[in-house]
Amino acid sequence: MDADRELLRRARDNLDGWIYAARDEAYHDLFTGDDAAVTPEERQLLDDIDSELSVNGDEGLWGADEYAIVRGHPKNHPLSVVCTQHPEIPTEWSRGETSLTEPEREQFNDLLWDYCERIRRYVQDEVNEFVGAAGMPEN
């Protein structure tokens, strides 16, 4: 039990660095390049929304996501990564005459959810590698 707690503590010590790298990778995957899930104009709109939400005292979009490492099932993953907070464009968010339609808002929120889940998977890969390097079975 002490070894499990120590492994969890050590993994949590690395979590911020893994998240930082995973955010870069997920952002690159979804928001840049020829295969981007959004147009450059839509990406700029997301950046604008992030800025406006941040100015109003909200968390914004980028970096509002949060993750945790928890004890998982020993047969699958002794340590599991969970996303504890996903960024979201609130229903009441408005840009005056250029507000998003509800379908546009839902589409962007779905994309933000996918972005966070991709980050979670990348961090899970790092955790699995960490567990393997620590000599723990991860089956």
Side-chain angles (χ1 to χ4, degrees):
M1 188 63 106
D2 287 340
D4 291 345
R5 262 187 286 185
E6 178 62 19
L7 181 67
L8 180 59
R9 186 197 60 74
R10 288 184 18 232
R12 286 177 175 165
D13 287 346
N14 289 297
L15 183 59
D16 287 341
W18 290 331
I19 292 170
Y20 185 80
R23 280 182 180 149
D24 282 349
E25 192 171 354
Y27 187 89
H28 176 74
D29 290 350
L30 291 173
F31 298 105
T32 64
D34 294 337
D35 296 334
V38 294
T39 66
E41 294 80 17
E42 291 170 325
R43 187 178 69 228
Q44 183 59 52
L45 178 58
L46 285 169
D47 288 343
D48 292 346
I49 292 169
D50 173 68
S51 294
E52 289 181 29
L53 288 172
S54 297
V55 166
N56 292 331
D58 293 326
E59 293 181 316
L61 300 175
W62 309 124
D65 50 321
E66 294 180 9
Y67 304 86
I69 300 175
V70 298
R71 291 187 62 208
H73 192 281
K75 291 184 180 178
N76 298 326
H77 298 286
L79 301 178
S80 294
V81 178
V82 294
C83 182
T84 60
Q85 182 171 321
H86 292 79
E88 183 175 72
I89 301 169
T91 304
E92 64 277 357
W93 184 81
S94 174
R95 297 184 72 207
E97 293 178 21
T98 60
S99 293
L100 296 175
T101 64
E102 185 57 22
E104 289 171 325
R105 189 185 73 78
E106 287 177 10
Q107 180 182 359
F108 280 137
N109 282 339
D110 287 346
L111 183 60
L112 291 168
W113 184 278
D114 292 345
Y115 167 73
C116 292
E117 287 305 304
R118 190 172 293 229
I119 293 168
R120 186 200 60 74
R121 285 193 308 271
Y122 288 149
V123 174
Q124 184 67 60
D125 290 344
E126 292 293 333
V127 168
N128 292 348
E129 187 175 314
F130 176 82
V131 168
M136 298 291 292
E138 64 174 295
N139 295 348

